[in-house]
Amino acid sequence: MADTLELVSSTCTFGGWHKRYRHRSTATGTTMTFAIYLPPQAQGGSVPVLYWLSGLTCTDENFATKAGAQRVAAELGLALVMPDTSPRGDGVADADGYDLGQGAGFYVNATQAPWAAHYRMYDYVVDELPALVEAHFPVTQQRAISGHSMGGHGALMIALRNPGRYRSVSAFAPIVNPSAVPWGQKAFAAYLGEDRSTWLSYDSCHQLEIAVERLPMLVDQGEQDGFMPEQLQPDVLARVARQHDWPLTLRRQPGYDHSYYFIASFIEDHLRFHAQHLAA
Amino acid sequence: MADTLELVSSTCTFGGWHKRYRHRSTATGTTMTFAIYLPPQAQGGSVPVLYWLSGLTCTDENFATKAGAQRVAAELGLALVMPDTSPRGDGVADADGYDLGQGAGFYVNATQAPWAAHYRMYDYVVDELPALVEAHFPVTQQRAISGHSMGGHGALMIALRNPGRYRSVSAFAPIVNPSAVPWGQKAFAAYLGEDRSTWLSYDSCHQLEIAVERLPMLVDQGEQDGFMPEQLQPDVLARVARQHDWPLTLRRQPGYDHSYYFIASFIEDHLRFHAQHLAA
């Protein structure tokens, strides 16, 4: 039953179809929901896929309804896949606060109780979901990955840890150095335990330092983002990239905050960036 | 105090500013919230305004976050003004159900208790809000109006009743003949009473029949819209327009439903339509 998809909804937009599915996940041991946007081009052939990882508190719906990405995906012939941000349900551990537990999976495989039972979002996003998508939909194995905030951390970290799996990676206001900031420290202590050496495998700045294979990387950061100095640390990513001569384009956008109004403003640039590398 | 605006939030998007305000309304006798998007061009001069009227259950935020309109408004140099769909608050009458009371003002001036005290959305949208916007923001008196569902009814009806006030009107899935469909009959009976002759002043099909001055009109209707046959009646509007040689462009969009995924897909066409007539 693990590869059975239950269609939740199917909505026409920009000449393509935005579809939501539920399925039983082997990785998390729960029922997971994800969305896929199939552009018009998918009706006549296979299209490459951009995976989008959302931030704290989000489901698959935030990016789907607020980013305006389907318009550009329809033009470029790109499928968009939008997973949830954690396992959910009555039997799934949770915590008070928006930054731990349901809606805050941080794209790691938890090793600590009570989280280890279901919080295996790394395996879900890296392995299970792409296998499912590539088995059920008219898509190629050309993949790109992007995300916002916690999902920006997820996108960068996953792309860096899996050379050859993605053609390009981008992020909006990513948590680039979670080992060193409050959001990441709280989540990693809970999910991974107090041995900080285990945190580094999920830290983009560390992964970039040890990466063996380069891939194009685009990061946008709003300069009026209230989370920037404490939680996001784009300067640290820029420094590590410089030290390692890494192909990072980091753009600082004056006036912009952390919201979907920021993402919507620049998602077209990101999709064109990915389309260019997916076609190369 | 009636013309004092309290800034609720100000967010950079597409190079312009999306701002939400609260103010004490003379028309409704309540505190009203609205949003305005000022495109980059408003920093150096005055720009024309498109008023957007939302549908049942909406606030100013649905269109703002889901339609993707700011992108096109920023390109065209068009301000967007987004009022709420009713008065709100503890002292404001309400009803069970999503289609009457708060979130469902239907853009009329209520005459019946308990609604008459505050439900004066017609006066608010036609007079008070434009006066406020034109006094406080860098905008011209060139106006256009559009809306969705209940707001599509509002846009068509208001444009038809106020010749010369708007250069153009458009709507997505409008309730064109509210006197004859369940949503409109329920609301009009409550707000206006059982004398159906009073309903006709708020019925777009009737107003089109008696209109003395023509204005360009664009309507999009999704063919998979589940509300179409019972509540929306695009065929009636098309028939009246034909009989009166009215400049209506009615587009039926195969596959599309009643949601913001439909609006987002065609909002660019609507904004270009309005910009063309605002510039004429």
Side-chain angles (χ1 to χ4, degrees):
Chain A
M1 289 292 287
D3 65 348
T4 302
L5 296 179
E6 178 196 350
L7 184 65
V8 177
S9 64
S10 182
T11 311
C12 187
T13 195
F14 291 101
W17 291 88
H18 187 86
K19 292 167 179 274
R20 302 183 70 214
Y21 290 93
R22 265 195 295 266
H23 70 107
R24 194 73 200 161
S25 164
T26 307
T28 67
T30 65
T31 297
M32 294 292 292
T33 300
F34 74 91
I36 182 168
Y37 177 66
L38 292 167
Q41 295 86 342
Q43 287 161 33
S46 294
V47 296
V49 181
L50 175 76
Y51 289 83
W52 173 268
L53 305 185
S54 280
L56 289 166
T57 77
C58 290
T59 67
D60 65 292
E61 296 192 282
N62 303 67
F63 182 75
T65 57
K66 294 182 171 180
Q70 294 95 341
R71 178 184 65 87
V72 191
E75 179 197 327
L76 298 173
L78 199 56
L80 306 172
V81 172
M82 294 144 273
D84 203 346
T85 55
S86 78
R88 296 184 193 265
D90 288 342
V92 176
D94 203 0
D96 290 340
Y98 69 95
D99 52 1
L100 187 66
Q102 297 188 29
F106 270 86
Y107 306 101
V108 305
N109 290 333
T111 57
Q112 307 296 302
W115 313 103
H118 299 297
Y119 283 75
R120 300 187 63 82
M121 289 299 291
Y122 181 87
D123 283 353
Y124 179 72
V125 168
V126 173
D127 294 319
E128 185 176 11
L129 185 59
L132 205 61
V133 164
E134 289 162 19
H136 286 82
F137 300 99
V139 298
T140 68
Q141 293 191 321
Q142 296 163 296
R143 307 176 200 97
I145 190 164
S146 184
H148 172 229
S149 195
M150 175 182 76
H153 137 73
L156 296 175
M157 174 272 290
I158 285 173
L160 288 164
R161 281 183 59 169
N162 294 276
R165 198 153 178 82
Y166 305 93
R167 299 284 182 94
S168 49
V169 60
S170 76
F172 292 81
I175 306 170
V176 300
N177 197 189
S179 302
V181 304
W183 274 340
Q185 290 172 339
K186 176 178 175 180
F188 287 6
Y191 297 143
L192 306 173
E194 293 298 340
D195 176 2
R196 294 191 174 213
S197 67
T198 66
W199 299 8
L200 295 179
S201 56
Y202 295 110
D203 188 298
S204 296
C205 284
H206 177 73
Q207 290 299 319
L208 196 147
E209 281 185 327
I210 63 169
V212 292
E213 202 172 298
R214 278 141 206 278
L215 86 169
M217 182 180 285
L218 170 63
V219 173
D220 270 314
Q221 175 62 58
E223 288 202 331
Q224 296 303 310
D225 186 331
F227 296 114
M228 183 164 53
E230 190 178 17
Q231 305 281 11
L232 303 178
Q233 304 278 356
D235 292 342
V236 178
L237 184 71
R239 192 183 67 230
V240 177
R242 256 194 325 273
Q243 287 166 352
H244 293 266
D245 199 22
W246 185 271
L248 166 68
T249 300
L250 170 61
R251 310 191 306 184
R252 296 167 194 273
Q253 304 289 2
Y256 288 86
D257 69 6
H258 199 68
S259 72
Y260 265 92
Y261 286 116
F262 162 57
I263 298 171
S265 300
F266 300 106
I267 192 68
E268 179 164 356
D269 292 354
H270 284 238
L271 296 194
R272 291 192 187 285
F273 163 81
H274 290 296
Q276 175 196 333
H277 293 290
L278 285 163
Chain B
M1 289 293 287
D3 65 348
T4 302
L5 296 180
E6 178 196 347
L7 184 65
V8 177
S9 64
S10 181
T11 311
C12 189
T13 195
F14 290 100
W17 291 88
H18 188 86
K19 292 166 178 277
R20 302 183 70 212
Y21 290 93
R22 264 193 296 264
H23 70 107
R24 193 73 199 161
S25 164
T26 307
T28 67
T30 64
T31 296
M32 293 292 293
T33 301
F34 73 91
I36 182 168
Y37 177 67
L38 291 167
Q41 294 87 342
Q43 287 160 34
S46 293
V47 295
V49 181
L50 175 76
Y51 289 84
W52 173 267
L53 305 185
S54 280
L56 289 166
T57 77
C58 289
T59 68
D60 64 292
E61 296 192 283
N62 302 67
F63 182 74
T65 56
K66 293 183 173 181
Q70 294 96 339
R71 178 184 65 85
V72 190
E75 179 198 326
L76 299 173
L78 199 57
L80 307 172
V81 172
M82 295 143 271
D84 203 346
T85 54
S86 78
R88 295 182 194 266
D90 288 343
V92 175
D94 203 359
D96 290 341
Y98 69 97
D99 52 0
L100 186 67
Q102 296 188 31
F106 270 86
Y107 307 101
V108 304
N109 290 334
T111 57
Q112 307 296 303
W115 312 104
H118 300 296
Y119 284 75
R120 300 187 63 82
M121 290 299 291
Y122 181 86
D123 282 355
Y124 179 73
V125 167
V126 173
D127 294 319
E128 185 176 10
L129 186 59
L132 204 63
V133 164
E134 288 162 21
H136 286 83
F137 300 99
V139 298
T140 68
Q141 293 189 320
Q142 297 164 295
R143 305 176 201 97
I145 191 163
S146 184
H148 172 228
S149 194
M150 175 183 75
H153 137 73
L156 296 175
M157 175 271 291
I158 284 172
L160 288 164
R161 282 183 58 168
N162 295 275
R165 201 156 176 79
Y166 305 92
R167 300 285 182 92
S168 49
V169 60
S170 76
F172 293 81
I175 307 170
V176 300
N177 198 188
S179 303
V181 305
W183 273 340
Q185 290 172 337
K186 177 178 176 180
F188 287 4
Y191 296 144
L192 306 173
E194 292 298 341
D195 175 3
R196 295 192 174 211
S197 67
T198 67
W199 298 8
L200 294 179
S201 56
Y202 295 111
D203 188 298
S204 295
C205 284
H206 177 73
Q207 290 299 317
L208 196 148
E209 282 185 328
I210 63 168
V212 292
E213 202 171 294
R214 277 142 207 279
L215 86 169
M217 183 180 283
L218 170 63
V219 172
D220 270 313
Q221 175 62 58
E223 290 203 328
Q224 295 304 310
D225 185 332
F227 296 114
M228 183 163 56
E230 189 177 18
Q231 305 280 10
L232 303 177
Q233 303 278 357
D235 291 342
V236 179
L237 184 71
R239 191 183 65 230
V240 177
R242 254 195 325 273
Q243 287 165 352
H244 294 266
D245 199 22
W246 185 271
L248 166 68
T249 301
L250 170 61
R251 310 191 305 184
R252 296 168 195 273
Q253 305 289 2
Y256 288 85
D257 68 7
H258 199 68
S259 73
Y260 266 91
Y261 286 115
F262 163 56
I263 298 171
S265 300
F266 300 104
I267 191 68
E268 179 165 356
D269 292 354
H270 284 237
L271 296 194
R272 292 192 187 283
F273 163 80
H274 290 296
Q276 173 197 335
H277 293 290
L278 287 163

